[in-house]
Amino acid sequence: MDEREFDEFYSASFQRITGQVYAMIGNRDEAQECVQEAFARAWAHRRKLDRAEHPEAWVRTTAYRLAVSRWRRTTRGRRPIDRALGAPLETAAPSENHVALVEALKQLPEAQRQALVLHHIADLSVHDVAREVGVPEGTIKARLSRGRAALAAMLADDRPGGLQEGASHA
């Protein structure tokens, strides 16, 4: 993968991967930092990435693992997460439905949350989710079913009328 191809890959997938990692971990700034770090690592391993069947999955998995590692380090050390100096970027406020969905996702077990995000937000098939996570397809189907049921209950209870059918999820 040459510089131009990598730039195109980055431009085409950075926002999408950031949104997916954000949905998995519930912190937008942390998601952006982890995705940026994952792309830096991808650049360093671009020859391996060029041979990868799904380079976006490689970056997403790396970013998610970075987020988990940071969380563990922070939890163990009880210290604030390292941040680059500078003011955070301002972005538009998320919709009420988006906030409700992210809050509900945070309450799910990690495995269910990851399966739901990869299947519904990253738009991966059950087969692809199973391959990326490293578990059988039946396990992913069970996690999706349980996660959907839990989300439906939480979203129906938390808001009058719940999250409306057809409402934006991103």
Side-chain angles (χ1 to χ4, degrees), residues 77-134:
R78 301 284 185 222
R79 63 176 196 232
I81 299 171
D82 296 333
R83 298 268 180 212
L85 296 176
L89 297 175
E90 294 202 20
T91 57
S95 70
E96 284 184 42
N97 287 342
H98 182 81
V99 171
L101 179 61
V102 170
E103 287 303 313
L105 282 168
K106 283 182 187 180
Q107 296 176 45
L108 292 177
E110 181 181 344
Q112 289 176 14
R113 181 174 60 244
Q114 185 179 36
L116 286 166
V117 169
L118 291 175
H119 184 66
H120 292 290
I121 296 177
D123 203 27
L124 298 180
S125 68
V126 170
H127 172 78
D128 290 340
V129 173
R131 187 181 67 235
E132 187 167 324
V133 175

Side-chain angles (χ1 to χ4, degrees), residues 141-161:
K141 289 177 183 177
R143 289 175 182 175
L144 288 170
S145 176
R146 290 182 188 123
R148 286 183 200 122
L151 276 179
M154 283 186 268
L155 293 172
D157 289 345
D158 289 347
R159 299 175 43 115

